[in-house]
Amino acid sequence: MDEHFAAVKALRDRQAAYLDSLPTDPKEAIKAARAIMTPDFEPYPEGVKEALYLSVALESLVNGEGIEGRGLDRDAARFIANRVSTAMFNVMKDLDRLSDVLENPSRFERLE
């Protein structure tokens, strides 16, 4: 049971350190949010365009000659599906971080 409590404490400490690493000044929060939303001056978070293009390619594979049986088409469809899901998970992670960044100044105010 002590291992369980130690694991819970470690997770709580890690969450507290994460929250403490977020900006507390509203202007800095906006700056950090913009960096997440438009990395390297791109119009969307990393992975959004890739997921869009890959999903269009997958749709073409599925609606075209199909992907039944074994072969390059099926392998390509599986690869694309994997890349789409990976890209979308990365976008979700960035959007979660963005939400945390934008909410942190108000969280910090409540703690004072």
Side-chain angles (χ1 to χ4, degrees):
M1 195 58 123
D2 289 333
E3 289 180 28
H4 175 71
F5 288 120
V8 169
K9 183 179 181 336
L11 285 173
R12 286 184 178 154
D13 291 346
R14 194 167 102 192
Q15 178 68 12
Y18 168 73
L19 292 173
D20 289 343
S21 74
L22 297 173
T24 56
D25 177 68
K27 288 181 181 179
E28 289 300 314
I30 291 170
K31 183 178 176 183
R34 291 187 64 127
I36 293 168
M37 288 298 297
T38 57
D40 301 323
F41 304 103
E42 291 291 324
Y44 301 104
E46 185 178 337
V48 171
K49 279 187 186 178
E50 180 181 13
L52 174 64
Y53 296 151
L54 291 170
S55 66
V56 169
L58 182 59
E59 182 180 21
S60 294
L61 279 172
V62 171
N63 292 336
E65 295 179 16
I67 54 172
E68 295 179 16
R70 295 179 183 251
L72 288 178
D73 286 347
R74 182 172 173 79
D75 292 344
R78 292 177 72 194
F79 172 79
I80 291 170
N82 176 267
R83 296 288 299 163
V84 169
S85 63
T86 299
M88 292 312 299
F89 278 117
N90 289 338
V91 168
M92 289 173 58
K93 180 187 67 162
D94 286 345
L95 292 176
D96 287 344
R97 171 103 173 139
L98 176 63
S99 177
D100 292 343
V101 165
L102 292 174
E103 290 176 4
N104 197 54
S106 63
R107 181 190 71 84
F108 188 73
E109 288 172 2
R110 289 191 305 266
L111 293 175
E112 290 182 332

